Amino acid sequence: MRRVALIIALAVPAVMAAAEGNIQSRDTLPRPQEGEVATSAPRQEKKGIFNALYQFVKKFSQVDTNYVEPQKYNFEVMLQNTNTYEAYTISTSNGQHIRFAPDVSIKAGPYVGWRWIFLGYTIDLTHLNGGSNKQDFNMSLYSSQIGLDLFYRKTGNDYKIREMNLGEGVDTSPLKNVSFDGIEASIKGFNAYYIFNHRKFSYPAAYSQSTIQRRSAGSFLAGFGYTTHSLKVDWQKLGQIIEDRLGSTLATQVIDDNLVHERIHYADVSLSAGYAYNWVFAHNWLFDMSLSLALAYKHSTGDMERSRFKFRDFSFANFNLDGVLRTGLVWNNSKWYAGANAIFHSYNYHKSQFSTNTYFGNINIYVGFNFGRKK
């Protein structure tokens, strides 16, 4: 069991550029006088390269200060509560479906930041006494112009049967919220996106508190993503649970043969488009809503336990619709800030006789303050 999780959030390259705003141009260095040896030339060349790189990075932080106020401090301290949700739904063409989900995972811990580096250490309060081997890593980068989400998730053994539909007239209520440790699932990947109206609209203002949105603004988004998914269910163990609670007849006859799919693997390559809006409804207050939909090409493979479930029922080329929803509420007076945000990902895999839906996400509640004012 992993009791604690280390989360690294790289805030904004924009902040890095802004934080280094007092660096002078290397082109103003004095030239050597006649007869002097220009021993500083290599160093000057290096400084010129560094300055060019700095100017390139700085472009990612350029904002219209009538709309966005840059960060004024070098350091910050924050306390955050993170609540993690996830669920897997498996369905067949005849209407049978099962939804598995664990209880909400509640974490809390301190974070500290220096300019563009933000580190946190959280404790999983729901599994202090063991009982889960869940793994969860998330890293987000928010700049004025680009954004990036990296994630890796592996299920623990604390899942429950939240909903089961085995056909008309079959009462499955005795199975609701029954513990089931026969599911193994993992997802890993990234989403990258470009923010078109990045001079007036600030994602960091809503999700990393490194800028302040002073006037309402929105922006279209375009992105690219890649993820890999794995899902395995111990159907024999599930059948035993059904037999114990509903009877042996249902366990052997009602479950559709399509539900005996042993393992699902698929890779998801997607192009996304969306829109985000920051609403400044009062001084120092901000509400953000963002939705991106992705047209995803999924390449999949799977193992079948029974011959009746034919491999030809699956196609390697398939397009589905995925989505990312973000929303946040922030109060920030530059010195102190507090707020909450939610980020949820949804992935869908549909074939003619079999489909899965995966969603996961976090709801974060935080409070913090900045110090060490920039000179």
Side-chain angles (χ1 to χ4, degrees):
M1 187 211 98
R2 179 168 295 184
R3 293 189 178 182
V4 293
L6 174 62
I7 301 176
I8 304 175
L10 296 182
V12 239
V15 178
M16 177 182 67
E20 300 294 344
N22 58 351
I23 297 179
Q24 298 179 353
S25 172
R26 269 49 177 180
D27 296 333
T28 60
L29 293 176
R31 297 182 179 180
Q33 299 296 321
E34 184 177 357
E36 293 182 347
V37 179
T39 55
S40 61
R43 182 181 178 184
Q44 187 172 347
E45 181 180 354
K46 290 181 180 180
K47 290 182 178 180
I49 295 175
F50 177 82
N51 186 61
L53 178 62
Y54 162 73
Q55 294 298 332
F56 174 78
V57 173
K58 188 176 180 180
K59 291 181 180 179
F60 288 92
S61 68
Q62 293 177 347
V63 296
D64 184 341
T65 54
N66 293 316
Y67 285 80
V68 180
E69 180 181 317
Q71 175 65 279
K72 300 177 180 179
Y73 298 89
N74 289 317
F75 305 96
E76 61 179 302
V77 175
M78 182 181 77
L79 181 64
Q80 178 169 293
N81 158 241
T82 298
N83 306 282
T84 302
Y85 300 80
E86 56 185 299
Y88 290 86
T89 301
I90 304 172
S91 307
T92 60
S93 58
N94 64 1
Q96 294 183 6
H97 70 267
I98 305 174
R99 180 167 60 90
F100 302 99
D103 290 331
V104 177
S105 178
I106 302 174
K107 303 175 184 178
Y111 289 73
V112 294
W114 173 74
R115 295 185 179 180
W116 61 280
I117 299 176
F118 202 56
L119 303 176
Y121 194 72
T122 61
I123 300 175
D124 190 342
L125 302 177
T126 53
H127 299 102
L128 291 176
N129 297 321
S132 176
N133 58 356
K134 182 180 301 184
Q135 300 177 21
D136 183 9
F137 171 80
N138 292 277
M139 182 177 76
S140 293
L141 182 152
Y142 297 106
S143 76
S144 300
Q145 196 167 356
I146 60 173
L148 176 66
D149 296 324
L150 296 172
F151 45 83
Y152 170 76
R153 304 175 69 89
K154 184 177 180 181
T155 60
N157 52 15
D158 56 348
Y159 269 67
K160 294 181 179 180
I161 301 171
R162 299 300 184 179
E163 182 180 356
M164 181 180 290
N165 185 340
L166 297 179
E168 185 177 355
V170 180
D171 181 14
T172 60
S173 58
L175 293 169
K176 188 173 183 179
N177 295 327
V178 173
S179 297
F180 179 66
D181 60 358
I183 181 172
E184 298 178 10
S186 68
I187 178 173
K188 55 185 176 182
F190 73 89
N191 292 316
Y193 47 91
Y194 181 82
I195 302 164
F196 288 92
N197 190 24
H198 53 85
R199 290 182 60 85
K200 295 182 179 180
F201 169 84
S202 176
Y203 246 148
Y207 298 101
S208 64
Q209 300 81 49
S210 54
T211 60
I212 301 176
Q213 188 84 42
R214 288 306 185 189
R215 297 175 63 181
S216 300
S219 177
F220 286 101
L221 314 171
F224 170 80
Y226 178 81
T227 57
T228 59
H229 304 251
S230 176
L231 175 64
K232 180 180 180 180
V233 177
D234 188 335
W235 296 107
Q236 184 176 1
K237 181 177 292 188
L238 181 62
Q240 186 61 53
I241 293 176
I242 295 175
E243 180 177 346
D244 293 341
R245 295 186 176 252
L246 301 182
S248 58
T249 300
L250 289 175
T252 57
Q253 297 180 11
V254 177
I255 295 181
D256 191 288
D257 286 344
N258 293 333
L259 286 178
V260 300
H261 195 271
E262 181 182 350
R263 183 183 290 273
I264 301 169
H265 294 285
Y266 68 89
D268 183 312
V269 180
S270 63
L271 295 176
S272 64
Y275 187 80
Y277 189 78
N278 281 348
W279 177 34
V280 180
F281 59 90
H283 184 62
N284 293 331
W285 283 94
L286 167 67
F287 177 76
D288 171 84
M289 178 66 74
S290 169
L291 177 63
S292 292
L293 298 179
L295 184 63
Y297 170 84
K298 294 178 171 65
H299 174 84
S300 60
T301 60
D303 302 323
M304 276 62 71
E305 286 187 348
R306 300 185 183 180
S307 59
R308 288 182 60 185
F309 193 79
K310 302 298 184 182
F311 184 73
R312 63 174 176 268
D313 292 335
F314 284 82
S315 172
F316 287 104
N318 190 46
F319 286 94
N320 292 167
L321 195 64
D322 298 333
V324 179
L325 172 68
R326 291 180 173 86
T327 185
L329 177 67
V330 184
W331 175 83
N332 190 341
N333 70 353
S334 185
K335 181 70 174 180
W336 291 86
Y337 61 85
N341 60 58
I343 304 174
F344 282 90
H345 301 259
S346 176
Y347 295 92
N348 300 287
Y349 171 66
H350 292 281
K351 293 297 181 179
S352 59
Q353 297 187 29
F354 188 87
S355 65
T356 66
N357 170 264
T358 304
Y359 84 84
F360 67 89
N362 298 320
I363 295 179
N364 304 302
I365 303 172
Y366 55 85
V367 60
F369 68 94
N370 301 300
F371 61 99
R373 193 178 181 89
K374 298 175 182 177
K375 297 180 180 181

